[in-house]
Amino acid sequence: ERTKERVAILVDEYEDPIHDAINDLELAKIHRQVLLTFYTSIKALADGDMTHLVYVTGKTKFTQTSIFSSFNNLSDLTLNPDYNAACGFTLEEFETYFSQYLLGMLKYNQSKGFMSATASLEELKNDIINYYDGYSWTGKTRILNPFSLIKMLDLKWLKPYWFDPSTQSFIIELLKRKEREFEFPVNPTMSTNSLSAVDLDNIRLIPILFQMGYLTIEKILKPGEYLLRRPNKEVNEAIESKLFNLWLGQTT
């Protein structure tokens, strides 16, 4: 009101209040209702031409939340091919901007005995790609996990960085609830509607695994139907040595 300028509204992890109450469905629905009220207010601002931009991120797209129902002037970018490479580094970007740092990393790992003294830069580069590359929303352009890649360059150690138990409590609790349905299928197929929304009253595992990064798109079989796969070695290790143990109640 003071500046007469329109505002930009940025919301990160919009659905965390629902995640936090996933073990109490009634409480989760109360949280959803609070979110509905909040996003309805934002929509009123947008309708009144008071916003320049509204940008919202989250791990899970829950249906029946105002952000996706009454707030119907938002565009969902998740499966929009124009934004496929927006949230990570393509292989070309990796080669262009990060190759200069790999020689120092190679020498460091060789000095520590983590890599063979005869290992080459090409071998290191291939290892990095196997670990962190592979995410795709079109089945064509693939991107490296930006968080893991930057952590690796900082610490000079090729290992899994993406999995953090404190941020995976939602999926762990869901696996406990859905124990009979539990599996990490090989190359499942899903439709656009199934991948892009989750019903709080009937949560299905595959869309959650896709939305939280455990699965990605291998290729588009036909318009609106996707073949999925695990993205990379980092995710495989997160599933097999981290997630399973937490699901089973083990701490190692």
Side-chain angles (χ1 to χ4, degrees), residues 135-226:
Y135 287 99
S136 180
W137 285 264
T138 63
K140 295 181 180 179
T141 301
R142 298 187 177 188
I143 61 172
L144 288 88
N145 183 324
F147 174 82
S148 298
L149 182 62
I150 292 171
K151 289 287 289 186
M152 180 212 69
L153 292 170
D154 180 35
L155 299 176
K156 300 183 178 63
W157 190 4
L158 188 68
K159 69 171 188 176
Y161 295 100
W162 170 72
F163 187 88
D164 180 355
S166 65
T167 63
Q168 302 296 317
S169 57
F170 168 71
I171 190 73
I172 293 165
E173 292 303 323
L174 180 60
L175 290 175
K176 291 177 180 178
R177 284 175 47 191
K178 298 279 185 175
E179 186 168 341
R180 292 184 180 179
E181 302 175 27
F182 175 69
E183 62 176 336
F184 277 82
V186 177
N187 297 337
T189 60
M190 296 293 287
S191 68
T192 299
N193 290 339
S194 298
L195 286 180
S196 60
V198 174
D199 185 351
L200 188 57
D201 292 304
N202 184 28
I203 297 178
R204 300 177 63 193
L205 282 175
I206 299 303
I208 291 291
L209 296 176
F210 168 73
Q211 292 182 13
M212 297 191 71
Y214 291 98
L215 294 170
T216 194
I217 293 174
E218 171 67 20
K219 65 179 178 179
I220 300 175
L221 299 174
K222 60 183 181 181
E225 185 174 338
Y226 303 89

Side-chain angles (χ1 to χ4, degrees), residues 24-143:
D24 186 337
L25 186 57
E26 293 307 311
L27 180 59
K29 289 181 177 179
I30 292 173
H31 288 185
R32 184 177 63 186
Q33 185 61 37
V34 173
L35 289 175
L36 187 149
T37 303
F38 175 70
Y39 288 110
T40 299
S41 300
I42 292 181
K43 183 178 186 299
L45 294 175
D47 290 344
D49 200 32
M50 298 178 68
T51 59
H52 172 69
L53 169 75
V54 178
Y55 191 79
V56 181
T57 70
K59 295 186 287 290
T60 309
K61 182 180 177 182
F62 287 104
T63 58
Q64 302 175 12
T65 307
S66 176
I67 185 174
F68 304 118
S69 52
S70 64
F71 205 173
N72 53 15
N73 54 345
L74 281 181
S75 296
D76 184 358
L77 304 181
T78 305
L79 297 175
N80 186 324
D82 292 338
Y83 295 87
N84 177 70
C87 296
F89 298 110
T90 64
L91 188 58
E92 180 181 5
E93 289 170 333
F94 170 66
E95 297 272 4
T96 301
Y97 299 112
F98 298 107
S99 292
Q100 59 183 310
Y101 301 104
L102 298 188
L103 180 58
M105 180 176 170
L106 177 64
K107 291 181 177 179
Y108 173 82
N109 278 269
Q110 288 174 331
S111 69
K112 297 293 183 180
F114 299 147
M115 296 187 71
S116 165
T118 60
S120 66
L121 277 174
E122 194 63 27
E123 288 176 300
L124 173 60
K125 189 180 300 182
N126 288 335
D127 286 343
I128 292 171
I129 292 170
N130 288 334
Y131 245 102
Y132 308 125
D133 194 25
Y135 287 99
S136 180
W137 285 264
T138 63
K140 295 181 180 179
T141 301
R142 298 187 177 188
I143 61 172

Side-chain angles (χ1 to χ4, degrees), residues 8-23:
I9 300 175
L10 310 178
V11 182
D12 186 31
E13 297 189 1
Y14 86 96
E15 83 289 32
D16 261 12
I18 300 176
H19 280 182
D20 291 344
I22 198 63
N23 285 328

